[in-house]
Amino acid sequence: MIRLLIADDHAIVRGGLKQIIALAPDIEIAGEATCGTEVMQHLHQGVFDLLLLDLNMPGVSGVDLIARIRLGQADLPILVFTMHNETQVASRALKAGAAGYITKDSDPERLLAAIRKVSAGGKYLDPALAEQMAFDATSKNPCLLPHALLSDREFEVFRKLIAGFGVNEIAEQLSISNKTVSTHKVHMMEKMNLGSVAELVRYAMQHGLTD
Protein backbone atom coordinates (compact mmCIF):
# COMPACT_ATOMS: atom_id res chain seq x y z
CA MET A 1 0.00 0.00 0.00
CA ILE A 2 1.35 3.43 -0.99
CA ARG A 3 0.95 5.83 1.91
CA LEU A 4 0.38 9.28 0.46
CA LEU A 5 0.73 12.71 2.06
CA ILE A 6 -1.11 15.34 0.03
CA ALA A 7 -0.19 19.01 0.46
CA ASP A 8 -2.54 21.57 -1.06
CA ASP A 9 -4.26 24.56 0.55
CA HIS A 10 -7.40 24.23 -1.59
CA ALA A 11 -10.09 22.03 -0.03
CA ILE A 12 -11.72 21.41 -3.41
CA VAL A 13 -8.47 20.04 -4.83
CA ARG A 14 -7.95 17.77 -1.83
CA GLY A 15 -11.54 16.57 -2.15
CA GLY A 16 -11.00 15.75 -5.81
CA LEU A 17 -7.80 13.88 -4.99
CA LYS A 18 -9.65 11.79 -2.39
CA GLN A 19 -12.18 10.74 -5.03
CA ILE A 20 -9.42 9.78 -7.45
CA ILE A 21 -7.36 7.90 -4.85
CA ALA A 22 -10.46 6.02 -3.71
CA LEU A 23 -10.44 4.29 -7.11
CA ALA A 24 -6.93 2.91 -6.51
CA PRO A 25 -6.83 -0.07 -4.10
CA ASP A 26 -3.04 0.18 -3.77
CA ILE A 27 -2.94 3.84 -2.66
CA GLU A 28 -4.23 5.51 0.50
CA ILE A 29 -4.18 9.10 1.74
CA ALA A 30 -2.36 8.88 5.07
CA GLY A 31 -2.15 12.63 5.74
CA GLU A 32 -3.22 16.07 4.53
CA ALA A 33 -1.39 19.40 4.82
CA THR A 34 -2.46 22.91 3.86
CA CYS A 35 0.86 24.74 4.34
CA GLY A 36 4.58 24.14 4.57
CA THR A 37 4.55 24.00 8.37
CA GLU A 38 1.93 21.23 8.35
CA VAL A 39 3.95 19.31 5.78
CA MET A 40 7.01 19.35 8.03
CA GLN A 41 4.91 18.34 11.06
CA HIS A 42 3.42 15.36 9.24
CA LEU A 43 6.82 14.21 7.99
CA HIS A 44 8.22 14.44 11.52
CA GLN A 45 5.36 12.45 13.04
CA GLY A 46 4.50 9.86 10.38
CA VAL A 47 5.90 7.59 7.67
CA PHE A 48 4.89 8.20 4.07
CA ASP A 49 5.82 6.65 0.74
CA LEU A 50 5.23 9.80 -1.31
CA LEU A 51 4.51 13.50 -0.91
CA LEU A 52 2.09 14.94 -3.48
CA LEU A 53 3.00 18.61 -3.29
CA ASP A 54 1.40 21.78 -4.60
CA LEU A 55 3.99 24.51 -5.19
CA ASN A 56 1.94 27.45 -3.92
CA MET A 57 0.79 27.29 -0.31
CA PRO A 58 0.83 29.69 2.63
CA GLY A 59 4.19 30.13 4.35
CA VAL A 60 7.23 28.25 3.11
CA SER A 61 6.42 26.58 -0.21
CA GLY A 62 7.75 25.78 -3.65
CA VAL A 63 11.44 25.16 -4.23
CA ASP A 64 12.31 26.38 -0.73
CA LEU A 65 10.01 23.80 0.89
CA ILE A 66 11.37 21.00 -1.31
CA ALA A 67 14.91 21.93 -0.26
CA ARG A 68 13.94 21.91 3.44
CA ILE A 69 12.28 18.52 3.12
CA ARG A 70 15.39 17.14 1.46
CA LEU A 71 17.50 18.15 4.48
CA GLY A 72 15.56 15.85 6.81
CA GLN A 73 13.88 13.38 4.43
CA ALA A 74 16.46 12.80 1.73
CA ASP A 75 14.82 9.59 0.46
CA LEU A 76 11.17 10.70 0.45
CA PRO A 77 9.82 10.75 -3.13
CA ILE A 78 8.19 14.10 -3.97
CA LEU A 79 5.73 14.46 -6.83
CA VAL A 80 4.84 18.06 -7.61
CA PHE A 81 1.16 18.50 -8.49
CA THR A 82 0.56 22.03 -9.75
CA MET A 83 -1.21 24.37 -12.14
CA HIS A 84 2.13 25.64 -13.46
CA ASN A 85 2.93 24.22 -16.90
CA GLU A 86 6.01 26.40 -17.47
CA THR A 87 9.30 24.62 -18.07
CA GLN A 88 11.37 26.93 -15.85
CA VAL A 89 9.12 26.21 -12.85
CA ALA A 90 9.34 22.47 -13.47
CA SER A 91 13.10 22.58 -13.94
CA ARG A 92 13.65 24.42 -10.65
CA ALA A 93 11.43 21.99 -8.74
CA LEU A 94 13.27 18.98 -10.15
CA LYS A 95 16.68 20.49 -9.43
CA ALA A 96 15.59 21.19 -5.84
CA GLY A 97 14.89 17.50 -5.31
CA ALA A 98 11.43 16.62 -6.62
CA ALA A 99 11.30 13.23 -8.36
CA GLY A 100 8.28 14.06 -10.49
CA TYR A 101 6.22 16.90 -11.87
CA ILE A 102 2.63 16.69 -13.12
CA THR A 103 0.08 19.39 -13.87
CA LYS A 104 -3.40 19.56 -12.40
CA ASP A 105 -5.06 19.32 -15.81
CA SER A 106 -3.77 15.75 -16.20
CA ASP A 107 -6.33 12.96 -16.33
CA PRO A 108 -6.78 10.75 -13.21
CA GLU A 109 -5.18 7.68 -14.81
CA ARG A 110 -2.01 9.65 -15.57
CA LEU A 111 -1.87 11.01 -12.01
CA LEU A 112 -2.22 7.53 -10.50
CA ALA A 113 0.47 6.20 -12.84
CA ALA A 114 2.79 9.04 -11.80
CA ILE A 115 2.16 8.34 -8.10
CA ARG A 116 2.97 4.66 -8.54
CA LYS A 117 6.10 5.33 -10.59
CA VAL A 118 7.57 8.00 -8.30
CA SER A 119 6.75 6.12 -5.07
CA ALA A 120 8.61 3.12 -6.49
CA GLY A 121 11.74 5.21 -6.93
CA GLY A 122 11.22 6.29 -10.52
CA LYS A 123 11.03 9.69 -12.17
CA TYR A 124 8.05 11.30 -13.86
CA LEU A 125 7.68 14.45 -15.94
CA ASP A 126 4.48 15.68 -17.54
CA PRO A 127 4.78 14.64 -21.23
CA ALA A 128 4.03 18.12 -22.62
CA LEU A 129 6.70 19.65 -20.40
CA ALA A 130 9.17 16.90 -21.20
CA GLU A 131 8.75 17.60 -24.90
CA GLN A 132 9.23 21.33 -24.45
CA MET A 133 12.26 20.89 -22.18
CA ALA A 134 13.84 18.53 -24.70
CA PHE A 135 13.23 21.06 -27.46
CA ASP A 136 14.76 23.86 -25.36
CA ALA A 137 17.82 21.73 -24.62
CA THR A 138 18.48 20.87 -28.25
CA SER A 139 17.54 24.20 -29.82
CA LYS A 140 20.50 25.96 -31.38
CA ASN A 141 19.03 29.35 -30.56
CA PRO A 142 17.01 28.90 -27.36
CA CYS A 143 14.97 31.89 -26.24
CA LEU A 144 16.12 32.53 -22.68
CA LEU A 145 13.34 34.36 -20.86
CA PRO A 146 14.31 36.93 -18.20
CA HIS A 147 12.98 34.92 -15.26
CA ALA A 148 15.29 32.05 -16.25
CA LEU A 149 18.20 34.27 -15.20
CA LEU A 150 17.01 34.43 -11.58
CA SER A 151 18.59 32.42 -8.80
CA ASP A 152 16.30 29.99 -6.96
CA ARG A 153 15.91 32.44 -4.04
CA GLU A 154 15.22 35.36 -6.38
CA PHE A 155 12.66 33.26 -8.19
CA GLU A 156 10.99 32.38 -4.87
CA VAL A 157 10.79 36.08 -3.95
CA PHE A 158 9.40 36.76 -7.41
CA ARG A 159 6.67 34.15 -6.86
CA LYS A 160 5.79 35.62 -3.46
CA LEU A 161 5.61 39.17 -4.80
CA ILE A 162 3.27 38.28 -7.65
CA ALA A 163 1.10 36.40 -5.13
CA GLY A 164 0.55 39.70 -3.31
CA PHE A 165 2.89 39.35 -0.34
CA GLY A 166 4.89 42.31 0.92
CA VAL A 167 8.58 42.38 1.84
CA ASN A 168 7.92 41.83 5.55
CA GLU A 169 5.62 38.86 4.90
CA ILE A 170 8.11 37.29 2.51
CA ALA A 171 10.93 37.72 5.02
CA GLU A 172 8.89 35.93 7.68
CA GLN A 173 7.82 33.11 5.36
CA LEU A 174 11.34 32.46 4.08
CA SER A 175 13.02 33.01 7.47
CA ILE A 176 15.32 35.70 6.13
CA SER A 177 15.70 39.41 6.91
CA ASN A 178 13.73 42.23 5.30
CA LYS A 179 16.99 43.63 3.97
CA THR A 180 17.81 40.34 2.26
CA VAL A 181 14.37 40.21 0.63
CA SER A 182 14.77 43.79 -0.56
CA THR A 183 18.20 42.96 -2.01
CA HIS A 184 16.80 39.96 -3.86
CA LYS A 185 13.98 42.15 -5.15
CA VAL A 186 16.40 44.77 -6.50
CA HIS A 187 18.57 42.15 -8.23
CA MET A 188 15.47 40.46 -9.64
CA MET A 189 14.12 43.72 -11.06
CA GLU A 190 17.49 44.48 -12.64
CA LYS A 191 17.81 41.06 -14.28
CA MET A 192 14.28 41.21 -15.64
CA ASN A 193 14.48 44.89 -16.59
CA LEU A 194 11.23 45.64 -14.79
CA GLY A 195 10.47 48.59 -12.54
CA SER A 196 7.48 47.69 -10.36
CA VAL A 197 5.52 44.85 -8.82
CA ALA A 198 2.69 45.64 -11.24
CA GLU A 199 5.06 44.95 -14.13
CA LEU A 200 6.14 41.71 -12.43
CA VAL A 201 2.52 40.59 -12.17
CA ARG A 202 1.88 41.46 -15.81
CA TYR A 203 4.99 39.53 -16.85
CA ALA A 204 3.94 36.54 -14.74
CA MET A 205 0.49 36.47 -16.33
CA GLN A 206 1.97 36.65 -19.81
CA HIS A 207 4.23 33.66 -19.14
CA GLY A 208 1.87 31.44 -17.16
CA LEU A 209 3.65 31.89 -13.83
CA THR A 210 0.58 32.71 -11.71
CA ASP A 211 -1.87 30.37 -10.03
mmCIF file of all heavy atoms in Angstrom, residues 20 48-49 107 131 168 201:
data_model
loop_
_atom_site.group_PDB
_atom_site.id
_atom_site.type_symbol
_atom_site.label_atom_id
_atom_site.label_comp_id
_atom_site.label_asym_id
_atom_site.label_seq_id
_atom_site.Cartn_x
_atom_site.Cartn_y
_atom_site.Cartn_z
ATOM 1 N N ILE A 20 -10.280 10.501 -6.510
ATOM 2 C CA ILE A 20 -9.420 9.779 -7.455
ATOM 3 C C ILE A 20 -8.695 8.634 -6.755
ATOM 4 O O ILE A 20 -8.658 7.501 -7.255
ATOM 5 C CB ILE A 20 -8.393 10.741 -8.092
ATOM 6 C CG1 ILE A 20 -9.110 11.769 -8.971
ATOM 7 C CG2 ILE A 20 -7.357 9.956 -8.912
ATOM 8 C CD1 ILE A 20 -8.212 12.871 -9.482
ATOM 9 N N PHE A 48 5.608 8.115 5.336
ATOM 10 C CA PHE A 48 4.888 8.201 4.068
ATOM 11 C C PHE A 48 5.762 7.674 2.938
ATOM 12 O O PHE A 48 6.989 7.723 3.011
ATOM 13 C CB PHE A 48 4.489 9.645 3.782
ATOM 14 C CG PHE A 48 3.660 10.273 4.870
ATOM 15 C CD1 PHE A 48 4.257 10.998 5.891
ATOM 16 C CD2 PHE A 48 2.280 10.118 4.881
ATOM 17 C CE1 PHE A 48 3.502 11.559 6.905
ATOM 18 C CE2 PHE A 48 1.513 10.676 5.886
ATOM 19 C CZ PHE A 48 2.123 11.404 6.906
ATOM 20 N N ASP A 49 5.098 7.171 1.901
ATOM 21 C CA ASP A 49 5.817 6.647 0.737
ATOM 22 C C ASP A 49 5.977 7.689 -0.353
ATOM 23 O O ASP A 49 6.826 7.533 -1.234
ATOM 24 C CB ASP A 49 5.072 5.436 0.167
ATOM 25 C CG ASP A 49 4.981 4.303 1.177
ATOM 26 O OD1 ASP A 49 6.032 3.884 1.686
ATOM 27 O OD2 ASP A 49 3.854 3.856 1.450
ATOM 28 N N ASP A 107 -5.201 13.835 -16.625
ATOM 29 C CA ASP A 107 -6.332 12.957 -16.326
ATOM 30 C C ASP A 107 -5.995 12.068 -15.121
ATOM 31 O O ASP A 107 -4.814 11.846 -14.814
ATOM 32 C CB ASP A 107 -6.725 12.115 -17.546
ATOM 33 C CG ASP A 107 -5.585 11.241 -18.051
ATOM 34 O OD1 ASP A 107 -5.058 10.426 -17.270
ATOM 35 O OD2 ASP A 107 -5.227 11.366 -19.234
ATOM 36 N N GLU A 131 8.523 17.280 -23.490
ATOM 37 C CA GLU A 131 8.751 17.596 -24.901
ATOM 38 C C GLU A 131 9.327 18.993 -25.070
ATOM 39 O O GLU A 131 10.279 19.206 -25.822
ATOM 40 C CB GLU A 131 7.435 17.462 -25.681
ATOM 41 C CG GLU A 131 7.581 17.730 -27.169
ATOM 42 C CD GLU A 131 6.271 17.549 -27.913
ATOM 43 O OE1 GLU A 131 5.279 17.118 -27.288
ATOM 44 O OE2 GLU A 131 6.236 17.847 -29.118
ATOM 45 N N ASN A 168 7.904 42.343 4.186
ATOM 46 C CA ASN A 168 7.915 41.828 5.551
ATOM 47 C C ASN A 168 7.335 40.412 5.621
ATOM 48 O O ASN A 168 7.868 39.544 6.333
ATOM 49 C CB ASN A 168 7.129 42.752 6.482
ATOM 50 C CG ASN A 168 7.805 44.092 6.673
ATOM 51 O OD1 ASN A 168 9.011 44.235 6.446
ATOM 52 N ND2 ASN A 168 7.049 45.097 7.093
ATOM 53 N N VAL A 201 3.779 41.334 -12.074
ATOM 54 C CA VAL A 201 2.523 40.588 -12.170
ATOM 55 C C VAL A 201 2.115 40.436 -13.625
ATOM 56 O O VAL A 201 1.696 39.353 -14.068
ATOM 57 C CB VAL A 201 1.405 41.289 -11.373
ATOM 58 C CG1 VAL A 201 0.058 40.620 -11.629
ATOM 59 C CG2 VAL A 201 1.727 41.280 -9.880
#
